[in-house]
Amino acid sequence: MTFLGMPAGGGNLTGTPFPKAARGALGDDQLRRNLAKATSTIRTKRASVVGELPDWAELRLAGAAIKDEVLANLDEYLVRFEEALTSRGTHVHWARDAEEANRIITDLVKATGTREVIKVKSMATVEIGLNEALADAGVHAVETDLAELIVQLGNDKSSHILVPAIHRNRTEIRDVFRREMAGVDPDLTDDPRALAEAARKHLRQKFMTVDVAISGANFGVAETGALVVVESEGNGRMCLTLPRTLISVVGIEKLVPSWRDLEVFMQLLPRSSTGERMNPYTSVWTGPTEGQTSHVVLVDNGRTATLADPDGRAALRCIRCSACLNSCPVYERTGGHAYGSTYPGPIGAVLSPQLTGVDKNPTLPFASSLCGVCYDVCPVAIDIPSMLVHLRSRVTESKRATPESTAMRAVGWVMSDSRRWSRLIRLGKFGRLASRHVPLPGWSSARDLPLPPKQTFRDWWESR
Amino acid sequence: MRVALFVTCLVDALFPDVGKSTVRLLERLGHEVVVPSAQTCCGQMHINTGYQGQALPIVRNHVAAFEQADVIVAPSGSCAGSVRHQHADVARKGGDEKLAEAAEDTAKRTFELSEFLVDVLKVTDVGAYFPHRVTYHPTCHSLRMLKVQDKPLQLLRAVEGIDLVELPDAETCCGFGGTFALKNSATSTAMLEDKTSAVLSTEADVLTAGDSSCLMHIGGGLSRLRSGTRTLHLAQVLENTR
Ligand code: SF4
């Protein structure tokens, strides 16, 4: 249920309908090979480090419970968070939607007079389309996360929440660097170390000269106003400490009540996302460093509306670990671009339609075979399959009669009464419909249909 | 024991042999099988395609059909899963609390075939004989919704003469997913292709599973490839004797 006045999410949350976008990706063999290799490697790693923890099931429930507690009392936690931030000298801004967030951030950046900002990888800023908004205002945003940088230089779109360039292999990355990175060695090889070194040189110069940084946050601690960024490369840390202005863009669902709660997530997140026991860098800050101005922009962009639906709100527990993407057989074959949103994969299929309203993303809830593996791997136990089913209902209910709904109604009428049902299957109508001679679009392209039997089970049973 | 068979709409209309095998197997084990004639379908297709409202009368019919049954057995993981995990919810959302409670009660009495054999009857050796090379696909709903674990494999391992071979990437979805196969046919086909090549790599004569729907999909793909591998429901393998 959405109440009037609840802002709908905008920004990069909507795209080409899934079935169509997926068809394009399915035809790209290189992409499918890249994805299959990357996801299967990380699946194996995840399974082995998760298997090491005997209390994983309990941790997972604890993670879910902490998040649920925050969501149930979000208004109070947000106020506490704001107070804590303000008391330590951080300026807090509230943004209803993508547009408002972009305006606030752009104004803050423009006020510093800079033409360039450095960024710590942040899903929220991708979600709201911040780089595009900054570009419109004449400000260039430089991504410092390696994979995000590859995507940016390649004029490409992220296709994974943790490994945005997962759809690219090393040779493709080398080509992007050679083409787009100013001053790069023209003989750069596709050796991972050489690639990382090239990126490091490129970024170091930015760290030393750019004075404004924009970050996201993996967690915000309501009690103390601390922000937490979890990363693997250390580039984020450079951004957080060196620049004189730091702007952090934080979705309002990112809070945890207290410092102690982080312990749970620091076990759940790295194992679920990169398959590591612990990530290399965790940065925590509770206010500006000396001589620094710090801002936090709290973004709604459809989150309050999501919170209002008791059957959908658990999607806001998500800690963006990407385990559900890496294990999803649909994601593995279509890649992230097919989902048309910043959030791909199973979580994207339930989160994006809720943030934007299902009318703007009506194909995403159907982009799943409901195999359930996403629920099994989710470290905060989001029951994505049930949520998909729920959202499918919201999609069909929001539409007027379609040929599908008419057919469903007719079949439903037959199936709610055994006499109608047995008459239908005895007539062989079901069988004839299902026979090979009537092509069922989409089905008969790759599979034969069984021939209808001469006798239904019912008839056999009665004749016995 | 008096066992009510929930034959499922797909088996009733398209795969009657699966129903017959289930009956014969249960009778061979010394149980009385009844088939409540008022049954039709679990309504899963409606629920999973987003027509919960239209599933409500189907759920009501199902609950009424099995009201008298002590124990209900279905040769389908996904239909048992729907009864167990979706019916009460559909009733509740439809505003019928009484039906929801009755559905919860039905759910408690409902078992998928391998669960019933192993957990309720406590048998793994059902006295079957099946001298063929067989591979097993654990369908998603059996695996994750019902958590049947290795019960089907325990039953298969006890079959005399069987040459049971492991299916590579067995736990990966075959791509059926009900209307998913129609709405996202290209993706579904890509998943099916990987599943059929995994099946072919085992050189099995027979692919077996606990769900006719997945078998229809994989079998349809194998048939299109003119492969020699047949699909048979678990009940059909277990029904065989010397
Ligand atoms: S839904 Fe769960 S598994 Fe998927 S990204 Fe979020 S936390 Fe990770």
Side-chain angles (χ1 to χ4, degrees):
Chain A
M1 171 188 343
T2 309
F3 298 107
L4 219 59
M6 269 183 205
N12 294 321
L13 292 171
T14 325
T16 312
F18 184 86
K20 187 158 176 248
R23 236 171 286 138
L26 288 162
D28 185 341
D29 289 344
Q30 181 66 54
L31 175 99
R32 275 173 71 182
R33 268 198 302 275
N34 295 351
L35 279 168
K37 183 155 181 274
T39 55
S40 81
T41 310
I42 198 161
R43 275 201 299 270
T44 316
K45 275 174 74 183
R46 179 206 156 269
S48 91
V49 294
V50 162
E52 288 170 0
L53 290 190
D55 59 346
W56 184 258
E58 288 82 24
L59 270 173
R60 183 174 182 247
L61 293 179
I66 294 168
K67 278 286 178 184
D68 279 353
E69 147 70 16
V70 169
L71 293 171
N73 302 291
L74 192 59
D75 48 349
E76 286 167 35
Y77 283 113
L78 281 168
V79 170
R80 208 172 302 165
F81 186 54
E82 180 182 34
E83 282 166 5
L85 284 169
T86 314
S87 73
R88 289 198 165 88
T90 294
H91 306 274
V92 176
H93 311 260
W94 298 83
R96 264 171 298 216
D97 54 19
E99 206 182 313
E100 193 173 16
N102 287 332
R103 193 168 54 236
I104 294 169
I105 302 160
T106 313
D107 286 348
L108 289 171
V109 171
K110 281 209 293 209
T112 66
T114 187
R115 316 290 307 196
E116 199 163 55
V117 298
I118 45 176
K119 284 186 68 201
V120 185
K121 179 177 182 292
S122 144
M123 295 307 294
T125 61
V126 183
E127 173 190 324
I128 61 178
L130 179 64
N131 289 10
E132 297 90 318
L134 286 171
D136 288 345
V139 176
H140 178 56
V142 182
E143 294 292 349
T144 65
D145 172 83
L146 179 56
E148 202 67 64
L149 177 69
I150 293 164
V151 167
Q152 185 178 38
L153 289 174
N155 223 338
D156 198 356
K157 270 195 168 170
S158 153
S159 68
H160 188 279
I161 60 184
L162 193 82
V163 201
I166 195 168
H167 56 293
R168 297 278 181 215
N169 64 20
R170 283 191 275 143
T171 322
E172 292 172 288
I173 294 167
R174 180 208 53 200
D175 294 344
V176 169
F177 278 15
R178 277 196 194 161
R179 203 169 56 232
E180 305 288 337
M181 211 178 247
V184 80
D185 176 5
D187 296 325
L188 181 68
T189 65
D190 66 0
D191 172 38
R193 224 178 307 151
L195 292 173
E197 191 51 36
R200 182 173 320 183
K201 271 201 198 128
H202 173 80
L203 290 173
R204 183 168 305 156
Q205 189 247 337
K206 301 288 178 192
F207 291 135
M208 304 316 285
T209 54
V210 182
D211 223 17
V212 179
I214 297 178
S215 85
N218 292 89
F219 303 99
V221 181
E223 190 182 44
T224 58
L227 288 170
V228 183
V229 161
V230 176
E231 48 145 355
S232 330
E233 292 159 16
N235 292 337
R237 176 159 301 182
M238 302 284 278
C239 294
L240 296 167
T241 45
L242 292 177
R244 296 173 60 83
T245 304
L246 173 61
I247 305 168
S248 305
V249 186
V250 183
I252 55 171
E253 85 287 15
K254 292 268 143 177
L255 299 192
V256 295
S258 73
W259 176 248
R260 280 191 48 194
D261 298 311
L262 277 180
E263 171 225 5
V264 172
F265 297 103
M266 292 312 292
Q267 296 182 71
L268 290 174
L269 181 55
R271 286 176 200 259
S272 303
S273 56
T274 48
E276 295 167 297
R277 294 186 186 90
M278 182 49 72
N279 51 290
Y281 298 90
T282 300
S283 302
V284 185
W285 69 103
T286 38
T289 52
E290 221 178 277
Q292 196 184 48
T293 314
S294 99
H295 298 269
V296 167
V297 183
L298 290 165
V299 183
D300 183 327
N301 206 35
R303 287 163 176 75
T304 323
T306 306
L307 198 58
D309 181 353
D311 293 312
R313 70 171 58 128
L316 296 177
R317 282 185 204 154
C318 175
I319 55 172
R320 313 279 188 263
C321 72
S322 73
C324 58
L325 278 66
N326 297 329
S327 49
C328 175
V330 172
Y331 176 89
E332 180 178 335
R333 288 167 182 86
T334 63
H337 293 157
Y339 295 78
S341 160
T342 302
Y343 303 109
I347 184 61
V350 293
L351 188 59
S352 310
Q354 296 201 78
L355 293 176
T356 60
V358 289
D359 52 323
K360 300 245 174 54
N361 265 314
T363 57
L364 286 185
F366 296 92
S368 162
S369 65
L370 303 180
C371 80
V373 69
C374 48
Y375 182 22
D376 272 14
V377 298
C378 177
V380 284
I382 304 175
D383 184 352
I384 296 177
S386 297
M387 208 179 283
L388 286 163
V389 168
H390 163 67
L391 293 173
R392 288 174 183 189
S393 275
R394 285 185 44 197
V395 172
T396 56
E397 279 156 18
S398 72
K399 281 193 197 154
R400 277 187 236 211
T402 58
E404 182 191 273
S405 72
T406 311
M408 284 288 184
R409 190 176 297 275
V411 177
W413 181 76
V414 170
M415 283 179 166
S416 56
D417 181 289
S418 65
R419 273 156 309 185
R420 291 178 209 143
W421 167 248
S422 51
R423 214 172 302 140
L424 176 80
I425 57 173
R426 266 174 199 147
L427 278 173
K429 277 201 180 122
F430 190 94
R432 236 180 293 149
L433 173 83
S435 91
R436 279 167 221 230
H437 310 293
V438 185
L440 202 49
W443 180 276
S444 29
S445 62
R447 343 158 172 65
D448 294 331
L449 268 171
L451 281 172
K454 293 204 182 72
Q455 189 189 34
T456 66
F457 175 81
R458 216 163 269 267
D459 286 335
W460 172 78
W461 178 257
E462 276 161 23
S463 68
R464 242 181 135 211
Chain B
M1 199 183 293
R2 196 179 150 103
V3 182
L5 178 68
F6 166 29
V7 73
T8 81
C9 67
L10 195 69
V11 169
D12 191 358
L14 279 180
F15 301 100
D17 289 347
V18 174
K20 294 178 204 173
S21 293
T22 312
V23 170
R24 291 188 194 119
L25 173 65
L26 293 170
E27 287 179 346
R28 191 175 80 214
L29 294 171
H31 303 282
E32 184 197 348
V33 178
V34 292
V35 183
S37 63
Q39 64 174 300
T40 57
C41 165
C42 64
Q44 191 186 169
M45 177 179 76
H46 285 81
I47 302 169
N48 286 351
T49 314
Y51 295 90
Q52 293 221 358
Q54 294 177 23
L56 187 64
I58 307 178
V59 169
R60 188 170 290 132
N61 180 73
H62 183 85
V63 168
F66 288 97
E67 209 179 344
Q68 304 298 327
D70 302 325
V71 54
I72 305 156
V73 175
S76 160
S78 81
C79 304
S82 181
V83 169
R84 219 126 91 205
H85 296 285
Q86 296 183 315
H87 276 194
D89 194 44
V90 168
R92 223 157 252 139
K93 279 197 181 148
D96 192 338
E97 185 57 36
K98 252 183 84 187
L99 179 63
E101 277 163 28
E104 270 159 10
D105 184 59
T106 313
K108 281 193 209 116
R109 291 177 278 129
T110 302
F111 300 91
E112 178 271 344
L113 180 62
S114 75
E115 282 180 327
F116 179 70
L117 296 172
V118 178
D119 288 349
V120 182
L121 298 183
K122 314 257 183 246
V123 289
T124 45
D125 187 347
V126 295
Y129 172 71
F130 195 76
H132 301 281
R133 193 175 170 90
V134 176
T135 194
Y136 167 73
H137 169 60
T139 59
C140 299
H141 288 177
S142 296
L143 187 68
R144 302 197 184 89
M145 233 186 189
L146 293 179
K147 310 253 183 270
V148 300
Q149 296 157 322
D150 70 336
K151 282 160 210 160
L153 284 168
Q154 290 179 34
L155 292 159
L156 286 169
R157 278 187 215 116
V159 171
E160 199 193 331
I162 200 167
D163 174 14
L164 193 61
V165 284
E166 199 179 316
L167 179 66
D169 292 322
E171 298 192 352
T172 305
C173 177
C174 69
F176 174 59
T179 49
F180 172 78
L182 304 175
K183 284 179 187 282
N184 284 291
S185 59
T187 311
S188 166
T189 301
M191 292 160 75
L192 173 62
E193 280 164 3
D194 290 344
K195 187 55 77 179
T196 48
S197 47
V199 173
L200 294 182
S201 78
T202 66
E203 294 178 5
D205 310 315
V206 168
L207 168 75
T208 189
D211 265 285
S212 298
S213 51
C214 309
L215 286 174
M216 173 175 75
H217 169 75
I218 306 172
L222 289 169
S223 143
R224 183 64 59 91
L225 296 172
R226 307 199 179 288
S227 100
T229 309
R230 283 185 303 154
T231 50
L232 281 180
H233 190 280
L234 185 66
Q236 292 172 294
V237 175
L238 298 181
E239 190 230 332
N240 253 279
T241 47
R242 209 185 259 279

